Amino acid sequence: MKRTKRIMAYLVALALLLTAIPMEPALAATGQNPGVEGGGADLAAPDADQEQLLLNYVVIEKEHITAPEVQTAVVSIGDGTNVLSDVVLSVQNQATGEVREVAAKQVAGDGIVFEIRHDNEKETAVWRLDFVRYVVAGKGQTIQLAGAGIEAVYGVNQQLVTDADAYVSDETAPELTADVVKFDGNGNQTSETSIASAIAENSDVIKNSSRQTPIVGAMANSPGNVNIPGNQLLGAPTSGNLIIVFDPGHDGTHAGASYNGYQEAERALKITQYAREELSQYRGVTIYMTRDTAACPNGGGSNSDCLTRRVQIAKNFGANVFVSFHLNASGNHSARGAGVYYPNSNYRPDIHSEAYGLGSSILNKLLELGLGSWGMQIRNSEDKTYYPDGSLADYLGVIRQNKEAGITPVLIEHAFMDNAGDVQFINSDEKLKKLGVADATGIAQYYHLSKGEYQYRDGDAKVGITPIENYTKMMLEANGVPLAYNLFFAVYTSSSDVKWYWGFKDNDRWLSSMNVSDYNKTGTYYVDAYAVRQDGSYYVVGRNTFALEELNTSWTGPQGETWKIDSDGLSRCYDANGNQIKNAFQCDGTYTYFFQADGSPMTNRLTYHPDGKNLIYFDEQGHEVFDHFQYCKDVKYTCYFNTYGYLCIDEIVFSGGKPYYLDKTGAMKQNEWFYFGNGVDIGSANADGSLKAGGWGKDPWGRQVFYHWNGMVARGLITDGVWYYHMDEKDGHLRGQFR
């Protein structure tokens, strides 16, 4: 399928050999699994004689993007036989010098895919790809792109003036077709070629076919149709409480900055107390404080010990989030505005992403008060401190230690105490309260918290329906329920053909879309909007109907082909000469189909990709499933298909920041204590399939266990930096602890 986008490719000679940038030895590990500080696999320092992998090419998808948008970059390193882990790309804002590190979205052979998110106009600039850092064979390596003669740049909200080495059109760009990335017994990623033989049904191989990828357009980015067995919401919010620890920076022993008659410790405490007062009005959140007086939480001592104690308090409370409240000072009295520190993408990229979203939400609320901004900031270690996986650590102690503990941290610098303008925001309790309320509101909005005991009622939402794309689709819209945790639409013509469509939030409204071909009927359609609460319950909040008097049963596709809806309600395709497409893949611009020997689309079928190794699925409408959980009717369980449409087998996948495990048959584990595919490591799946991860919990016998970030139960010796915990070598239950 031809697409009009251009991909700018920076080609590098295959024989280019780069000098490795040596890394210091990683922190020694004491456990067998990754995820707990001190619990990762041992990583030695690079050998001086270790050969650096070759850089083959760098590809940037778009010359320029318009925020909010995601830029995709592909870097090719090595010959495809090397197993790379902890791959990070560093990009830099050429206007401000801001450096951002992005964890790889997918490692596919020698190709590494990165997605760089740009959220707003404040990121307007030319951005440059600086270096790639990764671990291979237990050794850390870094490739400086500029050092290789590559000026890999793109524009955000501005045109880029450059002469690329080559332009490659989409139809000739190679597709990355690599094996599924899996985890071995130690939780490390490995690349394997074996495919589980447990799925014996539908084992035919589609031969001599080339598969097309759907065009990603505005509507393709919407959640779309979710096939839910028994009308149960897959991935609905699970019940639970958000635990946040508020940390007023400094204290009576470690006072912090002092200007214009104000002490940072005293002002920060008041802001924090006001934030707690405001956030306490929201449901589904519990707030704790590291201090509620001027006293040091550690009873005195060094500042370093005090910071460690603050993180330990958060651990003791089982915190999900840690927010540290501070005020700033520059010394030259000219710096001004608010900013938020958040962790880099090393070691726990999921925490990095969540902290960026949380911090941005808080910062936006502070800016609404009139404060200036110096943005979202990452500060990396300046003394070669590393995380347990050997990657460069964060500089700030509360950021680093919380991330190691699996807690999402941000540190807010509200204003500059030594700036004459900024001091106007902190010179009264009334103004301090505004800062605290802004902080709390930013937190509540990011986590979709709601105030009071609001009861959703039928009629609260106005449901709108707008035909688009020549009546082949309908845009669904719900207004009037901005506090809903989530929302979905039920669309049906009768009780036997209900289909569900997740909504996505656009300011105060919820949007989704449906394909008329999902039903292929004329008559009256009913649309019900359901608001979802944080505890997972859901209620009808609005209804509407629309009448479809005539089906648009024929249209022209993106390559000039003709598409028709047949009497069975399924699509057929004909080439420019009128010949029916058979034994071939075809894309209609949104969905990919496989048309069988009789010209009908394959439906409700798990089958092999043309490579003969990977399994793919076509749903009841004949749509190939990409990047989605899917209940597969022929095997009667829920599976996950990745970005390339491949069934994930014996793999941990992350969706919505949560890990899920797909076993050796591709089935998602649900509501059970289980062994991973290696027969050694253990995990526990919730009812919705998400794994218990990133903290302490109980096994089925009520014993304490620790779950790593990837859902694996810790075994052996682990530490939180203060205590050592002896976890049973076999089943991971806590046997004892010592200091």
Side-chain angles (χ1 to χ4, degrees), residues 585-643:
F585 285 95
Q586 189 71 32
C587 183
D588 66 1
T590 301
Y591 296 109
T592 297
Y593 303 78
F594 180 77
F595 291 105
Q596 303 173 99
D598 63 355
S600 65
M602 185 176 286
T603 60
N604 291 326
R605 190 80 173 268
L606 189 65
T607 187
Y608 276 100
H609 180 272
D611 62 13
K613 297 185 298 182
N614 291 295
L615 290 158
I616 58 179
Y617 189 79
F618 296 90
D619 67 15
E620 61 186 7
Q621 292 297 317
H623 305 154
E624 187 177 358
V625 178
F626 290 90
D627 204 17
H628 220 298
F629 288 102
Q630 172 72 38
Y631 181 78
C632 300
K633 291 185 177 180
D634 49 355
V635 292
K636 296 181 173 61
Y637 51 71
T638 299
C639 303
Y640 187 84
F641 297 86
N642 66 20
T643 303

Side-chain angles (χ1 to χ4, degrees), residues 57 141 169 181 184 213 216 246 272 398 495 513 598 641 649 682:
Y57 60 80
Q141 294 187 355
S169 62
V181 177
D184 64 16
T213 303
V216 179
F246 279 177
T272 310
V398 293
S495 59
S513 69
D598 63 355
F641 297 86
I649 295 176
I682 301 171

Side-chain angles (χ1 to χ4, degrees), residues 74-92:
V74 179
V75 179
S76 174
I77 298 173
D79 58 8
T81 63
N82 311 101
V83 179
L84 306 183
S85 62
D86 303 314
V87 188
V88 173
L89 172 68
S90 176
V91 298
Q92 186 178 56

Side-chain angles (χ1 to χ4, degrees), residues 251-255 296-307:
D251 51 65
T253 304
H254 316 97
C296 172
N298 199 45
S302 70
N303 186 56
S304 177
D305 288 344
C306 182
L307 296 177

Side-chain angles (χ1 to χ4, degrees), residues 280-301:
S280 296
Q281 299 177 46
Y282 288 82
R283 291 181 290 110
V285 61
T286 301
I287 307 153
Y288 297 100
M289 302 268 284
T290 59
R291 68 180 180 95
D292 215 354
T293 68
C296 172
N298 199 45

Side-chain angles (χ1 to χ4, degrees), residues 33-37 39 315 347-348 402-407 673 682-684 692-699 703-716 718-720 725-728 731-734:
N33 297 322
V36 177
E37 51 278 22
K315 294 180 189 177
Y347 185 52
R348 290 292 302 270
N402 272 293
K403 184 162 74 168
E404 289 178 335
I407 301 168
W673 178 262
I682 301 171
S684 180
K692 295 176 182 177
W696 292 95
K698 298 290 182 69
D699 67 11
R703 301 174 300 181
Q704 275 196 301
V705 295
F706 186 89
Y707 298 100
H708 289 310
W709 63 277
N710 61 4
M712 289 183 173
V713 173
R715 295 178 288 114
I718 62 175
T719 180
D720 60 13
Y725 302 91
H726 179 202
M727 316 305 291
D728 187 85
D731 63 21
H733 76 271
L734 178 65

Side-chain angles (χ1 to χ4, degrees), residues 267 271-272 274-275 325-327 338 362 365-366 369 371 412 414-415 422 425-441:
R267 301 275 99 176
I271 294 171
T272 310
Y274 285 128
F325 296 74
H326 287 256
L327 290 160
I362 295 170
K365 288 299 170 185
L366 291 172
L369 299 179
L371 279 160
I412 311 168
H414 289 85
D422 275 12
F425 290 90
I426 63 169
N427 60 4
S428 71
D429 284 356
E430 180 184 359
K431 293 175 181 178
L432 295 175
K433 183 174 183 177
K434 288 182 179 180
L435 295 174
V437 169
D439 294 330
T441 304

